[in-house]
Amino acid sequence: MGIAWDDVVLIEHRGKSDEPTSITVNCPDKAGLGCDLCRIVLEFGLYVTRGDFATDGKWCYIVLWVVPRPSSLKVDWGSLKNRLMSTCPSCMISFYLNQQSTASAPPSVYLLKVFCLDRKGLLHDVTKILCELELTIQRVKVMTTPDDKVLDLFFITDCMDLLHTKQRRDETCEHLSNVLGEYCISCELQLSGPECEVQQGFTSLPQEVAEELFSCELSKEAVPMSSASDTAKLKKATITVDNLLSPVHTLLQIQCVDQKGLIYDILRTSKDCDTRIAFGRIQSTAKGYRTIDLFIQTTDGKKIIDDENIKSLCSHLKEEMLHPLRVTVGSRGPDTELLVANPVELSGKGRPRVFYDVTIALKELGICIFSAEIARHSTAERQWEVYRFRLDESPEYPLASKKARTDIVDKVKKTLMGW
């Protein structure tokens, strides 16, 4: 017996537009499934108001209540359902007979070249269009010419896996040209060549910049907040470990400030630490804080009793709750450079919508981007995705001033964290 494939993911809308939409996933389990599902939810710009997880290691049942953020965001619910279904293991009997399925091939990378007349907010507008078309930016290289034109090179993958068709490529270029209007000079999209390998290389950061960006301590200069109370609230995160309540599970009771992508960060960290969540409850936000209860086990179905393993897991979780993203502004020769970094999953995936959020924050500040790129950086503990933006000086925003740089970091962090 089994369930119909269409019933693997059910999306139910409530009567009122401001009420959360429920997403129910009922399918065979696999390692990190909750993380993968929450990643897709985050990609679509949805905020998880509350949730429940349950699995016996073979079958899982997950319910997430979500709302669009911002509320004006238009969500393609049909496409979301297809994406969620695509990450669920097969319900067929063969899945049980052979659970060690071969890893799927990585998606093909395509090169999108957009040549435009420059203007404020152009990079974000292109990024927004790509998000709406369900195209994921893997790498980017943005170059501004002396005659006020800009060449954007986007190395992208297609969540719908249709870019190999001429129709999908033509529709993408046509949509970009129509939205950008008279600013668009040309738009080309093709399968990437050897230049993609060059773009996927690792970036080299000056030692003092790397130390500031990847430090585990929150520096007041590197991460300015709007008030002292904000700083106090940010630093408050508690994890209570209980190994007595359940004979076969370790209970983690987590309380921390709510922020964008929090559920994804917690599940990603658990996945990368080889921890299985047997039961979980995500409670609604109360006064800006989240309470999350997780009954966890090792991958072989046992409670975690080793003190060092518990200490390591809690340390990693707290780090992600306190500062999952790093932001700093500094000088790069005569230019001002904004650096943003986020941890990369062990699977190689970066955090969704970071480039989107940074570019919209700079657009709202009225700051032009002279050049931009995305690369990877490795530290002793992990790999990071690093976003580098060279900012254009303007009379309205003297970037050399300490206040201007503080405002930029504050605005970017608040946009990234959803405050």
Side-chain angles (χ1 to χ4, degrees):
M1 294 182 62
I3 61 174
W5 180 239
D6 282 347
D7 293 337
V8 169
V9 177
L10 295 177
I11 298 179
E12 297 181 88
H13 303 284
R14 304 304 177 189
K16 298 181 180 179
S17 58
D18 59 342
E19 291 185 353
T21 295
S22 66
I23 300 174
T24 304
V25 179
N26 187 16
C27 69
D29 197 13
K30 70 174 182 179
L33 178 60
C35 169
D36 297 341
L37 295 173
C38 286
R39 177 189 171 82
I40 294 172
V41 167
L42 183 58
E43 284 182 13
F44 276 76
L46 295 170
Y47 168 79
V48 179
T49 61
R50 58 192 178 97
D52 288 307
F53 298 80
T55 179
D56 60 1
K58 295 181 179 180
W59 198 273
C60 77
Y61 185 79
I62 298 173
V63 184
L64 300 174
W65 287 266
V66 301
V67 294
R69 284 282 179 92
S71 58
S72 59
L73 180 69
K74 294 182 179 179
V75 180
D76 187 338
W77 296 101
S79 182
L80 172 63
K81 179 174 180 175
N82 290 335
R83 288 283 309 282
L84 293 172
M85 289 175 63
S86 69
T87 201
C88 294
S90 170
C91 294
M92 300 179 66
I93 295 177
S94 58
F95 173 80
Y96 296 100
L97 300 179
N98 183 19
Q99 293 195 32
Q100 294 186 354
S101 58
T102 56
S104 58
S108 299
V109 179
Y110 288 78
L111 173 59
L112 173 66
K113 299 179 182 179
V114 182
F115 189 43
C116 292
L117 299 173
D118 197 15
R119 63 169 172 80
K120 288 183 179 179
L122 176 66
L123 184 57
H124 173 71
D125 293 344
V126 175
T127 302
K128 181 180 179 182
I129 295 169
L130 296 181
C131 287
E132 292 172 349
L133 294 173
E134 295 186 55
L135 299 170
T136 302
I137 301 172
Q138 302 293 342
R139 296 289 178 270
V140 66
K141 185 75 173 180
V142 176
M143 297 163 285
T144 303
T145 64
D147 57 347
D148 291 328
K149 296 183 178 67
V150 60
L151 176 62
D152 295 341
L153 303 178
F154 293 93
F155 294 86
I156 59 176
T157 54
D158 187 4
C159 296
M160 298 172 65
D161 197 23
L162 292 174
L163 274 183
H164 62 280
T165 65
K166 185 176 184 299
Q167 180 181 354
R168 171 72 161 159
R169 296 194 300 272
D170 290 346
E171 288 176 350
T172 299
C173 290
E174 182 180 352
H175 189 58
L176 279 164
S177 299
N178 290 339
V179 174
L180 297 177
E182 60 184 7
Y183 288 93
C184 185
I185 299 172
S186 66
C187 180
E188 301 175 13
L189 179 56
Q190 62 191 36
L191 188 65
S192 66
E195 68 272 17
C196 179
E197 298 299 324
V198 176
Q199 289 295 323
Q200 288 186 358
F202 287 81
T203 185
S204 176
L205 296 174
Q207 183 177 355
E208 63 276 9
V209 175
E211 288 178 354
E212 179 183 12
L213 192 61
F214 303 116
S215 171
C216 290
E217 296 297 328
L218 284 173
S219 161
K220 290 181 180 179
E221 183 177 351
V223 190
M225 305 298 297
S226 59
S227 69
S229 62
D230 283 339
T231 305
K233 184 172 75 170
L234 178 69
K235 289 186 177 181
K236 185 177 180 181
T238 60
I239 302 177
T240 303
V241 181
D242 187 338
N243 258 327
L244 300 177
L245 184 64
S246 169
V248 293
H249 303 100
T250 296
L251 170 62
L252 297 184
Q253 293 180 301
I254 300 171
Q255 186 179 49
C256 63
V257 68
D258 195 18
Q259 58 199 22
K260 183 186 295 185
L262 173 66
I263 312 305
Y264 164 72
D265 289 328
I266 291 175
L267 297 185
R268 168 178 58 80
T269 304
S270 301
K271 175 183 177 182
D272 288 348
C273 291
D274 291 328
T275 301
R276 183 165 70 91
I277 299 174
F279 304 97
R281 170 151 293 179
I282 304 163
Q283 299 185 30
S284 301
T285 303
K287 297 182 179 180
Y289 282 91
R290 282 277 197 178
T291 299
I292 302 170
D293 297 326
L294 302 177
F295 288 85
I296 62 174
Q297 295 176 320
T298 59
T299 52
D300 57 356
K302 299 177 181 178
K303 67 163 57 181
I304 305 174
I305 57 176
D306 184 83
D307 290 341
E308 288 301 317
N309 288 342
I310 292 176
K311 183 178 179 181
S312 176
L313 175 61
C314 291
S315 175
H316 282 96
L317 286 170
K318 278 193 174 183
E319 184 176 349
E320 298 306 320
M321 289 186 287
L322 291 174
H323 43 121
L325 297 127
R326 315 298 171 87
V327 183
T328 186
V329 174
S331 297
R332 184 181 182 185
D335 302 314
T336 300
E337 183 177 63
L338 167 67
L339 291 172
V340 179
N342 62 264
V344 175
E345 291 182 31
L346 290 182
S347 64
K349 296 179 181 178
R351 185 186 182 90
R353 298 180 73 88
V354 174
F355 196 77
Y356 178 96
D357 286 339
V358 175
T359 53
I360 195 174
L362 295 175
K363 179 181 179 180
E364 291 175 353
L365 287 173
I367 297 175
C368 290
I369 300 169
F370 182 76
S371 68
E373 61 180 316
I374 307 174
R376 295 285 171 99
H377 179 88
S378 288
T379 61
E381 293 185 349
R382 62 174 66 179
Q383 190 178 121
W384 300 80
E385 196 151 54
V386 179
Y387 303 77
R388 306 179 72 166
F389 300 87
R390 288 175 63 191
L391 308 180
D392 206 0
E393 189 79 40
S394 66
E396 300 86 12
Y397 236 100
L399 298 176
S401 73
K402 185 175 181 179
K403 182 182 183 305
R405 295 188 175 192
T406 298
D407 289 344
I408 292 170
V409 175
D410 196 35
K411 174 66 174 178
V412 169
K413 282 192 66 68
K414 287 187 175 181
T415 304
L416 287 167
M417 306 298 280
W419 292 329

